[in-house]
């Protein structure tokens, strides 16, 4: 509930000011009418207002929303009553305000999908298109069930992707921290002793001393360089479509990680295409919506070309085969789906296959990361030990007893 500061008028025409908690503006008006007051003006008050403007709607919130709407619509509860119950039971102030706005727009004569279109950052085009298809086909319960299942799948997929990225990032940070410690604190003490021997130093020892001096004298540059590179890349990708396209291609070619990302994109495409097609959306609209879902410029561009080829009269399978992005399995399943009229079933099989492959590949990558990081740390330590102990050993071997 948000707190509103309001100005109202009573039956005698006298101005009445105050503050009151309410779920939204219509709720505030209703509460004031019960007090025989007519609302004139109001504004959100204090921290509650800030939270309502700046809160975040998570995927978990959307899953709960879809599950709740599936249960209520399946039980025959009217849409407005179901949304009102959902609004009153929500903990997230941002989403509670969104649901209140949905109620207000539906009361004004809008369809649920039309009301959702007012909040594109929460309900994307795919979400609202599926709801609109459910409204037209009177299968809104099935649509919300499919949306809930799909959001759960996305949540699991995101969790698996984080497993691939977070572990090497964590271990890499540790390796970097150990390297910085050795270069700034340990190496200078040992190299000071080596220099005092007065002998010619080998190349790898001079390289170690040089790197150590860089860390000591320009530590701020060492720390700032990765940050500046990251910011520069982000700005370049934001301002250049060509750079975004090339970066999307490079992502798919990264050793170990690239094939996993590629299969995640294929699984996402197959899952959403099947879901959209099963809801009665046309193939061209399915492809258009999938262009935004795949989140990769190379694949999205390929889908655009396939959509254009289909618009020009080419078959679905031939159009996808001509763009040379999708592997034979996807093409084969599209061919089967096109021949049998069960495109959604065929693509669900593709999604199932790639989901299984993704899990297996993630497990393999995770099993490889630890030994690779251990080898890298071992090479760094070996270089330091060889550079330090090598000259000491040479000096001792020259001593005549």
């Amino acid at each position: 509930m948000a707190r509103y500061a309001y100005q109202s008028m009573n039956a005698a025409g006298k101005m009445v000011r105050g503050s009151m908690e309410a779920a939204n503006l219509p709720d505030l008006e209703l509460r004031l009418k019960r007090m025989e007051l007519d609302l004139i003006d109001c504004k959100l008050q204090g921290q509650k207002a800030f939270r309502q403007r700046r809160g975040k709607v998570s995927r978990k919130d959307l899953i709960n929303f879809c599950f709740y709407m599936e249960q209520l619509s399946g039980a025959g509860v009217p849409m407005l009553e179901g949304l009102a119950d959902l609004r009153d039971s929500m903990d997230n102030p941002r989403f509670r305000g969104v649901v209140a706005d949905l109620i207000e727009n539906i009361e004004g004569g809008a369809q649920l999908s039309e009301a959702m279109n007012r909040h594109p950052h929460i309900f994307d085009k795919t979400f609202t298109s599926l709801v609109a298809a459910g409204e037209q086909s009177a299968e809104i319960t099935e649509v919300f069930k499919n949306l809930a299942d799909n959001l759960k799948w996305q949540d699991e997929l995101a969790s698996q992707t984080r497993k691939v990225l977070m572990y090497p990032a964590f271990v890499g940070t540790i390796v970097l921290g150990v390297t910085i410690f050795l270069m700034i604190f340990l190496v200078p003490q040992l190299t000071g002793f080596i220099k005092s021997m007065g002998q010619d130093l080998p190349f790898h020892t001079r390289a170690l001393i040089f790197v150590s001096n860089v860390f000591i004298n320009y530590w701020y540059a060492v720390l700032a360089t990765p940050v500046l590179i990251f910011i520069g890349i982000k700005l370049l990708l934001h301002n250049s479509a060509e750079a975004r396209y090339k970066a999307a291609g490079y992502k798919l070619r990264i050793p170990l990680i690239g094939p996993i990302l590629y299969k995640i994109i294929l699984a996402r495409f197959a899952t959403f295409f099947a879901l959209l097609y099963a809801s009665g959306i046309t193939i061209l609209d399915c492809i258009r919506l999938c262009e935004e879902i795949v989140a990769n410029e190379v694949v999205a561009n390929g889908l655009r070309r396939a959509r254009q080829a289909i618009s020009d009269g080419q078959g679905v399978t031939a159009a996808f085969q001509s763009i040379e992005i999708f592997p034979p399995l996807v093409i084969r399943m599209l061919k089967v789906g096109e021949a049998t009229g069960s495109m959604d079933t065929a693509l669900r099989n593709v999604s199932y296959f790639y989901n299984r492959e993704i899990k297996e590949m993630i497990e393999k990558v995770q099993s490889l990361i630890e030994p690779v990081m251990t080898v890298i740390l071992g090479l760094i330590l070996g270089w330091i030990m060889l550079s330090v102990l090598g000259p000491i050993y040479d000096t001792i071997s020259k001593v005549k007893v």
Side-chain angles (χ1 to χ4, degrees), residues 108-122:
Q111 293 285 334
L112 177 60
S113 57
E114 294 171 346
M116 286 178 171
N117 276 325
R118 290 170 52 89
H119 305 277
H121 297 296
I122 297 172

Side-chain angles (χ1 to χ4, degrees), residues 258-269:
I260 296 177
L261 293 177
Y262 182 49
K263 284 183 169 56
I264 288 174
I265 291 170
L266 293 176
R268 185 183 293 133
F269 162 76

